[in-house]
Amino acid sequence: MRARALLVLLAAGGAGFADLSYVECSNGFQNNPVLEGGRTELELADIDNDGNIDIVCIGDHGSPYVNTEEHGVMVWFGDGAGNWSVFQFGDFGYGGGAVGDVNGDGNWDVGYGMHHAWSSNDLGDQLLEVALGDGTGRNWTPWDDSLALEGQDWGMFSTDFADIDNDGDLDVGSISFGADDGIHVYLNLENGAWRRSFGFLGGNSKMEFYFRDVNRDGNADVIAAHGTGSIWFGDGTGGFTPANTGLPGSSYGLRGLSPGDVDNDGGCDVSFANSDGGVEVWVWDDAGQMWQDFSGSLPDSGSFRATELCDMDADGFIDVCALGRGLLKIWTGDGAGNWTEAASINTGTPGYYSALRSGADFDHNGLPDLAIIVKEGPWPNDINVAHAYKETSPVESLGVFPVFPRGGEKFIGGSVQFIDWWSEAPNAESTRVRLELSIEGQGGPWELIVDSLKNAGRYQWTVPDGVVSGNCFVRYTVYGPGGECSCTTLRAFAIGNPTGIFEERIPRGNGSRDRVALISIAPNPVTDRAVVEFGPQVTGLVRLVLYDVSGREVRSWQWQRCTEDAGTTVVLGLEHVQAGPYFLRLVTQKGVAVQRLVRQR
């Protein structure tokens, strides 16, 4: 069994397989319906919970009904062997999307930004929407009040879900369709309404958007291909601060931007296609608070326009996929910045990039597969064509490989995260998955997370609250007619605020929870002084403690505050504090709050 063999190689310090091989599996996906042109976005998820990966999209310029039969939410249902059947719902399209469970009912929902918000009803009549699924992939109910009401008038595109404020539900963000409409992040109010916590209008966009944790503080960050920058660090409340130091920029945004943990430190890194059509990888250096080039031997020029970071050979190290003019290439990585070409796939001519996605296993052979959309044919008759490719390793015996967490991550208790795996399964339809958590090391003891899951490779997990441990592991067990097989996260990850202290939360309407607004720091990063503003509820004895990322106390301040005047501020002297990331903890009679602070030179 290939995945199990790779785990043995990792334990021995060896490398994975050098070469990868793919065969097209586009039956029912290609020309069903016939596409038109322009960019779009593909998502891979088991929408109907049958254990097989499906492909989700809201179409290209042809949606809805522009020279095509495309329309609405398009789901190509997979059969586990690389065959597809499409179902479409709604009268809107041309954009990007995301999949997640936003209302906690166990069914996958969708979010999408679009250009053609032409619907005559609530589903499809605004530029950014969220719609609830019923577990079939054939019915969608709008859940989108208050989205895209800040002056967006052209279109939104690439969209993603994450628990931005660590309160136990998924929030949504999106980037402009090309130009003018900017970037926007909205918090989930758990009743079908949303509140924008961060955003701006204007600027150019290359239409890529992701939520990931770059700096390993447990808070989701924004990775986006925008002319104003590419990285914004999240503060865990819905606010974001630019973090582009050292990273190349572009007035139109970095082309084909993609996230992934390339150096196995638990934080997310990025890849993109440069202005010369080459492929670049950059990693975040937490100690130096800047980005560093990790491209090594990757081509510095060519015709590439999109990248994707994914562990394509399941050896524990992230690899790079790049799509260009009629060509899809894969380079395997070793975690140290060295890259080896492992696969090359010729697509149709001219093969211009419209969509690229990897990370899901179509045929249950334990390795991830690929779906793309490229423009083909001679002008003016060129159109987008969809292709799916599956890795050709045979399915032999039951096995499982841990995809996420990878190790080194930090999760805040009570937040929503995703647990991912790939599984080789000869009898996939009869295979089930059990997930367990240890907070005391790789040997357990183990506490059940969930059992009897369909073997589709993803579970939406609410991290247990009140846990503080840097020695956490997930155990993945697949079982069925072929027996049982288990593996664990490759390296330890952490649960709990890095300071070891959790921010207090208080109830608000309809049973949901929100963080107490006790303090804010602006501007942030800071230099030799930090300006701290208190919320009006902060009274009595006040204590502020500054911690480094290891949880060591650096400095503290204490005084009596008798008034409740909103907007009261204090200035903290940091002249003798070294540059780097810190956490400022407030303790007051009304609660506890922790804010991230970056000290610059």
Side-chain angles (χ1 to χ4, degrees):
M1 184 270 167
R2 186 169 186 172
R4 181 183 295 167
L6 284 169
L7 289 175
V8 173
L9 285 170
L10 278 171
F17 291 79
D19 295 321
L20 294 165
S21 179
Y22 296 87
V23 63
E24 186 154 6
C25 57
S26 301
N27 181 39
F29 180 45
Q30 189 173 109
N31 298 326
N32 183 31
V34 173
L35 305 178
E36 204 224 23
R39 285 281 305 279
T40 188
E41 190 172 65
L42 302 172
E43 297 300 325
L44 310 177
D46 180 13
I47 292 293
D48 57 353
N49 193 36
D50 68 348
N52 299 318
I53 293 296
D54 311 310
I55 302 175
V56 185
C57 183
I58 65 166
D60 61 12
H61 179 268
S63 181
Y65 302 113
V66 180
N67 304 317
T68 75
E69 293 301 313
E70 300 175 67
H71 62 98
V73 179
M74 308 164 67
V75 180
W76 288 270
F77 295 104
D79 68 353
N83 301 296
W84 314 91
S85 59
V86 71
F87 186 86
Q88 304 177 80
F89 188 94
D91 297 318
F92 57 88
Y94 197 12
V99 175
D101 180 5
V102 299
N103 65 339
D105 68 351
N107 296 320
W108 292 122
D109 309 313
V110 293
Y112 43 87
M114 60 181 154
H115 185 44
H116 293 169
W118 298 344
S119 177
S120 59
N121 57 62
D122 192 18
L123 184 70
D125 65 347
Q126 56 197 61
L127 299 180
L128 177 62
E129 296 189 337
V130 173
L132 301 181
D134 65 357
T136 69
R138 297 172 182 269
N139 295 287
W140 304 99
T141 303
W143 219 60
D144 56 10
D145 293 347
S146 307
L147 290 173
L149 299 180
E150 291 77 25
Q152 300 93 324
D153 58 9
W154 178 243
M156 302 303 294
F157 193 79
S158 181
T159 302
D160 204 3
F161 288 129
D163 188 356
I164 300 305
D165 51 357
N166 300 313
D167 68 345
D169 55 50
L170 290 180
D171 309 303
V172 69
S174 188
I175 192 170
S176 173
F177 183 94
D180 297 330
D181 281 346
I183 292 174
H184 306 273
V185 175
Y186 298 85
L187 301 182
N188 185 349
L189 302 184
E190 299 185 344
N191 59 3
W194 306 78
R195 176 175 63 83
R196 192 179 75 154
S197 66
F198 171 79
F200 55 86
L201 296 170
N204 293 306
S205 159
K206 284 297 183 184
M207 302 190 291
E208 312 285 353
F209 182 95
Y210 303 92
F211 287 125
R212 297 290 190 276
D213 186 2
V214 173
N215 57 347
R216 295 180 299 155
D217 65 353
N219 298 319
D221 306 316
V222 166
I223 298 174
H226 198 269
T228 62
S230 303
I231 311 296
W232 288 262
F233 283 164
D235 64 7
T237 69
F240 294 85
T241 303
N244 296 287
T245 303
L247 192 67
S250 166
S251 60
Y252 286 86
L254 296 177
R255 180 178 287 155
L257 190 64
S258 178
D261 181 7
V262 175
D263 55 359
N264 280 347
D265 68 350
C268 205
D269 310 305
V270 297
S271 64
F272 56 90
N274 63 32
S275 58
D276 293 322
V279 180
E280 298 190 20
V281 173
W282 289 69
V283 298
W284 173 253
D285 176 13
D286 198 57
Q289 290 291 289
M290 65 183 299
W291 291 90
Q292 294 185 342
D293 192 349
F294 211 65
S295 304
S297 59
L298 291 171
D300 55 12
S301 63
S303 62
F304 296 106
R305 294 294 182 268
T307 67
E308 185 89 341
L309 291 175
C310 180
D311 186 1
M312 300 300 292
D313 59 355
D315 69 347
F317 300 112
I318 290 292
D319 310 315
V320 185
C321 309
L323 178 62
R325 187 176 299 174
L327 189 64
L328 174 61
K329 280 186 176 289
I330 299 172
W331 295 267
T332 54
D334 65 355
N338 301 303
W339 307 96
T340 302
E341 185 174 330
S344 182
I345 301 171
N346 291 316
T347 67
T349 303
Y352 294 122
Y353 159 66
S354 291
L356 167 64
R357 191 63 80 218
S358 65
D361 181 6
F362 299 158
D363 58 346
H364 303 284
N365 77 336
L367 290 174
D369 303 312
L370 293 147
I372 67 172
I373 295 179
V374 293
K375 181 174 285 190
E376 300 179 21
W379 184 88
N381 298 313
D382 49 346
I383 62 170
N384 279 337
V385 179
H387 300 269
Y389 301 97
K390 60 182 181 180
E391 206 281 331
T392 60
S393 296
V395 181
E396 296 176 344
S397 59
L398 193 63
V400 62
F401 181 82
V403 176
F404 190 84
R406 297 170 51 81
E409 301 88 357
K410 294 178 181 177
F411 302 138
I412 303 299
S415 68
V416 168
Q417 305 291 335
F418 293 101
I419 298 177
D420 296 325
W421 67 95
W422 298 316
S423 173
E424 182 177 351
N427 298 289
E429 67 282 355
S430 302
T431 301
R432 295 294 181 266
V433 175
R434 180 169 57 251
L435 302 175
E436 299 163 286
L437 173 69
S438 167
I439 63 173
E440 298 182 24
Q442 203 164 12
W446 299 96
E447 180 178 344
L448 182 66
I449 298 173
V450 68
D451 203 349
S452 301
L453 289 175
K454 296 288 183 65
N455 191 12
R458 167 158 284 198
Y459 175 71
Q460 186 169 306
W461 176 43
T462 300
V463 179
D465 212 344
V467 173
V468 179
S469 172
N471 199 21
C472 299
F473 290 82
V474 170
R475 181 163 67 182
Y476 307 72
T477 301
V478 295
Y479 57 92
E484 181 174 297
C485 182
S486 296
C487 70
T488 68
T489 312
L490 298 179
R491 294 170 298 278
F493 62 92
I495 295 177
N497 190 289
T499 65
I501 303 157
F502 288 87
E503 295 154 290
E504 184 171 319
R505 301 167 183 172
I506 60 174
R508 61 175 171 81
N510 69 4
S512 62
R513 303 194 299 173
D514 198 6
R515 185 170 292 110
V516 184
L518 298 179
I519 60 171
S520 62
I521 305 169
N524 191 7
V526 303
T527 53
D528 58 351
R529 299 190 309 165
V531 179
V532 179
E533 181 174 2
F534 295 99
Q537 67 271 56
V538 177
T539 59
L541 184 65
V542 175
R543 186 165 188 259
L544 289 172
V545 184
L546 187 70
Y547 294 87
D548 64 18
V549 293
S550 69
R552 180 179 64 87
E553 182 176 326
V554 177
R555 289 200 63 181
S556 65
W557 302 264
Q558 183 170 301
W559 63 92
Q560 188 79 21
R561 184 165 184 256
C562 300
T563 67
E564 295 188 3
D565 298 328
T568 299
T569 61
V570 298
V571 178
L572 307 181
L574 303 175
E575 296 88 349
H576 303 296
V577 175
Q578 295 182 350
Y582 295 88
F583 294 89
L584 185 65
R585 177 189 179 228
L586 166 70
V587 181
T588 176
Q589 63 185 17
K590 296 295 179 66
V592 176
V594 178
Q595 290 289 320
R596 189 176 188 276
L597 176 152
V598 176
R599 167 74 158 99
Q600 292 183 329
R601 298 183 186 279

